[in-house]
């Protein structure tokens, strides 16, 4: 693992740096494919675009994987498009001689363990050097790992006899795929890509891929022999997170509404308090748009936190108006609402100022930028400013209009 300097201390993004590394390493001998993952230190994890081409025939999977990779390269914001390279490579296969295994009473597992120990070695002990754990492995020297030498390894039979390995196995050279990956029991090819978060997001890219293939298949009659696209990585985690956040926000709103109903014993006043939420959320989304930020995992968390702050400020105002309702007859509706709002300006403003002052340095990376926490701070900080304006202007006006209309006062 390589740790980069903080984002505000360098001129290039992590995506640009790893793209340069991969380009430089592609020409190295002995490497068929090089891929770097960027770990930002928080969810969602994995490559931003991680698609699995699952099922179907080998030809269908290969064709779909090639088409998906070609489509990703045309989409704005996608970088470092990769697909699994499954080129045949020379391998040695071991064919067991079951007739001799049965004759000597030797199991296939026993032969497999002997070959594995000869090639990879066997861990025999460990020691601790301070805090470092050091393992010791016993293995053959490299010049003893040739097939001729391996043939002379002895395997103990059931009756104690030592049998040479060349009696029990036959070595076969073959060009074959080095590794076959599976997903739920079906063969799979992985297609992945990086992402410029200032341009797009994983879900948008996945929707564009789905739309492109649905349109092309319908127009051109393409057939991938049953192969299909399955999202993984950040796409899957973001989908699951958004579903969970939808439930969390719904539960939060229902809980807040019930508490307000118990507090005010009045549906209209409770709804007036909650009316600040759409303005704050809309403002937060507008701030993300102005700062060229996408709606990320942590920005949604920031919106959930923002709901509580907005309701608190609105609650302070409406409860004060309810608590001083006895002054309304003497002052009249307009003067009563203006006076009540003015008396709450200091309390609401101080709460907003202290919250924003604490979050703005994190939002703009003053002292250190965090790719994940900064969008959350941006949402909460500017959301508080917008809800402050709404609480002191829109909410009093809404309260005046609703409550005055309800009582029929002039």
């Amino acid at each position: 693992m390589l740790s980069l300097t903080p984002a505000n201390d360098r001129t290039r993004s992590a995506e640009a740096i790893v793209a340069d590394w991969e380009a430089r390493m592609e020409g190295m001998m002995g490497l068929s494919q090089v891929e770097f993952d960027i770990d930002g230190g928080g969810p969602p994890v994995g490559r931003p675009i991680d698609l699995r081409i699952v099922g179907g025939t080998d030809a269908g999977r290969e064709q779909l994987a090639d088409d998906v990779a070609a489509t990703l390269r045309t989409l704005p914001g996608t970088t470092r498009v990769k697909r699994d390279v499954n080129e045949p490579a020379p391998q040695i296969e071991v064919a067991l001689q079951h007739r001799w295994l049965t004759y000597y009473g030797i199991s296939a597992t026993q032969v497999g363990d002997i070959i594995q120990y000869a090639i990879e070695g066997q861990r025999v002990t460990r020691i601790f050097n301070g805090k470092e754990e050091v393992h010791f492995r016993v293995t053959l020297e490299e010049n003893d790992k040739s097939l001729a030498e391996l043939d002379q390894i002895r395997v103990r039979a059931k009756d104690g006899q030592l049998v040479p390995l060349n009696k029990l196995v036959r070595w076969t050279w073959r060009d074959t795929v080095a590794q076959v990956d599976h997903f739920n029991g079906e063969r799979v090819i992985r297609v992945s890509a990086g992402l410029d978060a200032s341009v797009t997001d994983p879900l948008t890219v996945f929707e564009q891929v789905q739309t492109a293939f649905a349109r092309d298949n319908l127009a051109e009659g393409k057939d991938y022999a049953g192969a299909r696209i399955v999202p993984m990585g950040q796409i899957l985690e973001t989908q699951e997170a958004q579903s969970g956040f939808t439930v969390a926000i719904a539960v939060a709103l229902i809980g807040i509404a019930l508490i307000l109903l118990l507090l005010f014993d009045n549906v209209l006043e409770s709804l007036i308090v909650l009316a600040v939420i759409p303005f704050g959320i809309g403002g937060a989304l507008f701030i993300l748009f102005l700062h060229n930020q996408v709606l990320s995992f942590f920005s949604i968390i920031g919106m959930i936190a923002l709901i509580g702050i907005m309701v608190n400020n609105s609650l302070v105002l409406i409860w004060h108006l309810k608590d001083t309702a006895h002054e309304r007859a003497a002052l009249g509706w307009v003067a009563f609402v203006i006076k009540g709002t003015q008396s709450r300006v200091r309390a609401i403003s101080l709460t907003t100022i202290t919250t924003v002052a604490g979050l703005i340095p994190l939002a703009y990376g003053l002292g250190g930028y965090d790719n994940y926490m900064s969008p959350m701070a941006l949402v909460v900080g500017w959301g508080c400013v917008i809800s402050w304006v709404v609480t002191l202007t829109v909410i009093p006006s809404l309260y005046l209009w609703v409550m005055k209309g309800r009582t029929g006062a002039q």
Side-chain angles (χ1 to χ4, degrees):
M1 178 180 291
L2 299 174
S3 297
L4 301 178
T5 56
N8 57 333
D9 292 338
R10 46 186 161 87
T11 57
R12 294 197 299 168
S13 66
E15 192 69 40
I17 292 173
V18 297
D20 187 29
W21 288 348
E22 290 181 355
R24 290 171 180 266
M25 296 182 70
E26 281 181 356
M28 290 187 177
M29 295 293 294
L31 297 177
S32 61
Q33 187 172 8
V34 178
E35 180 178 319
F36 288 92
D37 281 335
I38 300 173
D39 181 8
V45 296
R47 288 206 95 185
I49 308 300
D50 192 350
L51 304 175
R52 307 298 167 94
I53 312 303
V54 181
T57 63
D58 291 343
R61 270 193 317 277
E62 291 288 340
Q63 182 61 49
L64 181 55
D66 290 339
D67 290 350
V68 169
T71 300
L72 286 174
R73 292 187 181 95
T74 64
L75 298 179
T78 56
T79 60
R80 302 188 296 119
V81 178
K82 302 283 185 180
R83 59 148 293 175
D84 286 345
V85 176
N86 293 323
E87 296 178 353
Q91 291 187 354
I92 301 176
E93 292 185 355
V94 180
L96 296 175
Q97 303 301 300
H98 293 281
R99 179 167 61 95
W100 290 110
L101 291 177
T102 304
Y103 177 79
Y104 288 111
I106 299 174
S107 68
T109 302
Q110 190 177 351
V111 175
D113 290 341
I114 289 292
I115 296 175
Q116 182 181 7
Y117 297 157
I119 296 175
E120 297 183 357
Q122 171 73 359
R123 183 183 296 176
V124 293
T125 188
R126 62 178 180 171
I127 64 172
F128 288 91
N129 183 14
K131 294 183 178 180
E132 182 182 4
E133 184 179 8
V134 181
H135 294 276
F136 286 86
R137 181 182 295 272
V138 176
T139 184
L140 295 177
E141 294 185 4
E142 290 301 319
N143 58 356
D144 290 330
K145 294 181 181 180
S146 65
L147 295 186
E149 295 290 342
L150 293 178
D151 278 340
Q152 302 308 313
I153 294 177
R154 307 287 171 164
V155 183
R156 188 172 296 278
K158 192 173 184 179
D159 60 1
Q161 181 183 356
L162 294 177
V163 183
L165 191 61
N166 62 1
K167 264 195 172 185
L168 307 175
V169 303
R170 293 292 182 268
W171 309 99
T172 304
W173 287 88
R174 179 176 300 180
D175 286 344
T176 185
V177 176
Q179 179 179 350
V180 178
D181 295 323
H182 291 81
F183 178 82
N184 290 338
E186 297 181 285
R187 290 193 173 190
V188 62
I189 298 175
R190 179 175 182 243
V191 179
S192 62
L195 203 66
D196 184 351
S198 64
V199 177
T200 186
D201 62 271
L203 288 184
T204 299
V205 171
F206 182 55
E207 290 173 0
Q208 290 173 331
V209 170
Q210 285 183 308
T211 302
F213 278 86
R215 181 185 63 246
D216 292 345
N217 290 348
L218 187 63
E220 302 175 17
K222 288 186 177 181
D223 181 17
Y224 296 106
R228 63 190 186 278
I229 304 172
V230 177
M232 299 293 288
Q234 290 191 22
I235 297 174
L236 183 61
E237 287 198 14
T238 304
Q239 288 176 335
E240 293 174 348
Q242 287 190 354
S243 299
F245 282 139
T246 301
V247 175
I249 292 175
V251 171
L253 290 176
I254 293 172
I256 292 172
L258 290 175
I259 293 173
L260 290 175
L261 285 173
L262 293 174
L263 180 64
F264 287 104
D265 195 23
N266 187 292
V267 174
L268 284 177
E269 289 176 335
S270 301
L271 291 176
I272 293 172
V273 172
L274 293 174
V276 72
I277 294 177
F279 292 97
I281 297 297
L285 293 174
F286 181 66
I287 291 300
L288 288 175
F289 172 75
L290 288 181
H291 288 78
N292 205 22
Q293 296 275 355
V294 297
L295 185 61
S296 63
F297 182 90
F298 282 98
S299 61
I300 296 176
I301 293 179
M303 288 187 183
I304 296 177
L306 180 62
I307 289 175
I309 299 173
M310 293 186 297
V311 169
N312 179 69
N313 288 340
S314 183
L315 173 61
V316 167
L317 175 61
I318 301 302
W319 179 258
H320 176 72
L321 295 175
K322 180 180 179 67
D323 195 43
T324 58
H326 58 277
E327 301 177 6
R328 186 174 59 222
L331 295 174
W333 272 105
V334 175
F336 165 71
V337 171
I338 292 175
K339 180 182 177 182
T341 303
Q342 288 175 336
S343 67
R344 295 294 93 190
V345 168
R346 178 179 298 177
I348 295 174
S349 298
L350 287 176
T351 302
T352 302
I353 291 171
T354 53
T355 303
V356 173
L359 290 174
I360 289 302
L362 176 59
Y364 290 100
L366 305 178
Y369 187 82
D370 189 289
N371 290 324
Y372 288 92
M373 300 302 291
S374 293
M376 181 173 67
L378 197 66
V379 166
V380 177
W382 283 107
C384 285
V385 173
I386 294 171
S387 70
W388 169 64
V389 175
V390 172
T391 301
L392 295 178
T393 56
V394 176
I395 297 302
S397 302
L398 183 62
Y399 178 86
L400 175 63
W401 177 66
V402 172
M403 300 306 291
K404 185 177 179 181
R406 177 184 145 185
T407 59
Q410 300 296 324

